[in-house]
Amino acid sequence: MRCRFVISLMALLLLASCGHTTIDSPIDAIPDGVTRVVAINLNDIAEAYGDRINDATGNMTPAAENAIATIMPAPMMRAIAAVLPTGAVDPECAVLYTNTKRYSALILKVTDEETLTDKLSGFRDPAEDFSDYKTYTIGHRLVAIGNSLCIIAPDAETIKPAGQGKSNDNIAKTSFLRDFLERDDAVRVVASGSAIYGSKMKGKWIRAAARFTEHALNTRLEILNSDGTTDSIGSRIAGQIDPDALKFVPQGASVVIASGLQGSDAKLFGIEDLISNYFPGDVAMSRTGTTLFYGRPAGSLNTDNILSPSVWNLASVTAMSAEDGDQAIKRLQNYTDGFAILDPETTCYTYTRDDQTLTYGYTDGYFLQGLNGGFTFGNNSDYSSLFHRACIAGVIDIPAGNELQKAAGLPCGASLEVKLTTTLLTAKLTLYGNKQPVLATLDGIEYLHGALPLLIFANE
């Protein structure tokens, strides 16, 4: 008799334990069929904006609210603003996932369920309860609490699969994806390539991360194959840049962009088309090697004329054969009706019309074409390390306090460096002389406002 009682008691305890699951990490709760996961340290995001998440009275600080709004889908913000100030969830590992219907859900680890449910009692919606979750309706989002989790989503169907993932291709069960999500960057993104870019990226995974320092935002992105090996996408897009092209870049250049893209159909984000508006003839990517563009102020800049070619020294440097270089010079000689003047020292021609000058020539395997400024050779460029072993690289440098900063409407100086190597895309945005923390400064720049969710594919 006693044996039957013990067996029955054990069975009841087993059933009870099966009905309530404790999940150690929000990453463990990622369901099957998810196309994108963003792991976010909300403390890092808030501090990058200049304050803690909650103030001494238990309310979310304005800085934290603004910071989180830069990274989270807007419809979630009311629910997030209700949950975080309770102090009953862990803000260091928030997980945002997107299902195949493109619905996004946010998972937070609950540290004190009693406090959390008590603080949210005014939003209680027992009609929506399901499984082990109690539900609360806050704004346009459903908040479910249970299994040591707090999940914010548009509907119950998006929440129910959380913690039920069993397939081998589940992101949480794929080691090279899970390990990445557990890193200590402020933001870590794992996304299905085909979900973001379509069938041409089928079978690929995108991994991206962002990290803030006092004065900079650093990001990196790589593409992986289904077996976890790194995809050599950079080398498939372009050859490596020949650093020899940098000898034509003058000191004080504000923009320098170079690539190893080759072929008649190669395009560099439309930059070659933009340059063509200022130069006669076609400006195209090199067929044999490196193409480089640079720009620097060549006149007094202000808000009204910042896009005018009359105040810029713009140039293109294109690797080509001597035969092609000779043909390019002949085309421009016809354009200038022979009035261009040759400088024997540089072997470049200069043609002046109105208040602008056109300089062109062929030397050392490169065809040169410049507006409002001649070429010098053998410059000691400050950008050699950025372009070293890169397939595509560029820098925009705007020193603090100069005319370009004021004309661009920036609150401080800034430098943006972007580099694509064989396997890795990196970007670093550094701010000089910013009076506010880095994320607050970025959010205040009109051109960048609202761009961060796009950078991590987190818009809804």
Side-chain angles (χ1 to χ4, degrees):
M1 188 74 175
R2 181 178 295 178
C3 182
R4 288 183 187 176
F5 175 77
V6 171
I7 293 173
S8 299
L9 181 60
M10 290 178 64
L12 287 172
L13 291 172
L14 181 61
L15 288 171
S17 65
C18 290
H20 186 78
T21 305
T22 299
I23 297 177
D24 293 330
S25 167
I27 296 174
D28 292 322
I30 297 170
D32 293 339
V34 164
T35 59
R36 180 192 67 204
V37 174
V38 185
I40 307 169
N41 186 324
L42 298 176
N43 277 338
D44 286 354
I45 299 297
E47 289 174 3
Y49 213 99
D51 209 341
R52 299 169 300 171
I53 289 180
N54 298 327
D55 61 22
T57 63
N59 294 313
M60 188 184 296
T61 64
E65 191 164 348
N66 287 334
I68 294 169
T70 68
I71 214 88
M72 288 290 185
M76 282 192 178
M77 283 307 300
R78 186 175 172 188
I80 292 171
V83 169
L84 281 183
T86 65
V89 295
D90 181 2
E92 293 194 355
C93 186
V95 170
L96 182 74
Y97 68 82
T98 304
N99 61 20
T100 54
K101 293 183 178 180
R102 298 187 180 273
Y103 289 169
S104 293
L106 179 69
I107 313 175
L108 294 160
K109 173 72 173 177
V110 175
T111 56
D112 186 341
E113 187 167 326
E114 183 178 351
T115 296
L116 183 58
T117 55
D118 180 61
K119 292 288 183 70
L120 299 184
S121 59
F123 301 102
R124 184 85 167 94
D125 189 358
E128 292 287 344
D129 284 356
F130 54 90
S131 188
D132 294 325
Y133 292 101
K134 294 179 180 178
T135 58
Y136 306 77
T137 300
I138 305 177
H140 297 291
R141 285 298 178 266
L142 186 67
V143 178
I145 300 172
N147 297 334
S148 302
L149 300 175
C150 173
I151 307 177
I152 304 172
D155 56 29
E157 295 308 311
T158 304
I159 296 171
K160 287 177 180 179
Q164 306 299 315
K166 297 179 181 179
S167 68
N168 292 329
D169 62 350
N170 181 283
I171 289 176
K173 293 178 172 58
T174 305
S175 60
F176 64 88
L177 300 179
R178 185 192 177 96
D179 291 347
F180 185 82
L181 290 172
E182 291 179 334
R183 289 174 39 158
D184 63 353
D185 299 283
V187 180
R188 293 133 283 156
V189 183
V190 168
S192 162
S194 58
I196 304 296
Y197 295 111
S199 58
K200 60 184 178 182
M201 290 283 283
K202 186 177 181 180
K204 307 289 185 182
W205 286 99
I206 299 169
R207 298 196 316 191
R211 180 185 294 267
F212 295 95
T213 63
E214 184 179 0
H215 299 293
L217 165 62
N218 294 272
T219 64
R220 52 186 286 133
L221 183 149
E222 58 190 341
I223 296 174
L224 279 73
N225 299 311
S226 58
D227 61 358
T229 57
T230 306
D231 188 274
S232 302
I233 189 170
S235 59
R236 289 192 280 108
I237 292 174
Q240 288 192 356
I241 296 167
D242 184 351
D244 190 48
L246 291 170
K247 67 185 178 183
F248 301 111
V249 178
Q251 295 294 320
S254 299
V255 180
V256 184
I257 301 172
S259 86
L261 291 165
Q262 297 172 21
S264 57
D265 296 328
K267 297 290 183 181
L268 185 60
F269 314 117
I271 293 172
E272 68 289 337
D273 295 329
L274 177 65
I275 294 292
S276 292
N277 293 332
Y278 303 131
F279 293 129
D282 295 329
V283 176
M285 295 293 104
S286 171
R287 291 188 296 173
T288 58
T290 298
T291 306
L292 180 146
F293 303 105
Y294 74 75
R296 61 173 175 166
S300 181
L301 293 169
N302 56 56
T303 304
D304 295 328
N305 71 4
I306 189 172
L307 298 179
S308 170
S310 63
V311 294
W312 285 91
N313 167 210
L314 303 172
S316 65
V317 178
T318 310
M320 63 176 62
S321 67
E323 180 180 357
D324 288 342
D326 184 58
Q327 291 297 318
I329 288 175
K330 286 180 179 179
R331 286 195 297 271
L332 288 178
Q333 286 290 75
N334 291 333
Y335 170 79
T336 61
D337 293 324
F339 285 105
I341 300 173
L342 174 66
D343 180 349
E345 184 176 346
T346 64
T347 67
C348 287
Y349 295 84
T350 299
Y351 172 70
T352 301
R353 185 174 66 182
D354 300 327
D355 60 346
Q356 296 184 27
T357 61
L358 174 67
T359 301
Y360 58 91
Y362 180 83
T363 184
D364 292 343
Y366 290 92
F367 174 65
L368 314 175
Q369 196 170 188
L371 187 70
N372 298 330
F375 290 92
T376 57
F377 311 114
N379 294 317
N380 183 18
S381 172
D382 296 331
Y383 307 124
S384 298
S385 60
L386 174 64
F387 291 88
H388 178 63
R389 302 188 72 176
C391 300
I392 299 174
V395 59
I396 301 174
D397 190 29
I398 304 176
N402 73 353
E403 289 181 335
L404 183 54
Q405 179 207 321
K406 297 173 184 176
L410 298 179
C412 60
S415 175
L416 173 63
E417 297 182 353
V418 180
K419 181 175 184 176
L420 174 66
T421 64
T422 300
T423 59
L424 185 65
L425 175 65
T426 58
K428 181 179 182 180
L429 179 57
T430 305
L431 303 177
Y432 308 108
N434 50 314
K435 297 180 180 179
Q436 295 180 299
V438 61
L439 184 54
T441 303
L442 294 176
D443 194 39
I445 297 174
E446 181 181 354
Y447 310 111
L448 297 177
H449 185 73
L452 285 174
L454 291 175
L455 292 176
I456 65 167
F457 316 111
N459 261 7
E460 184 178 275

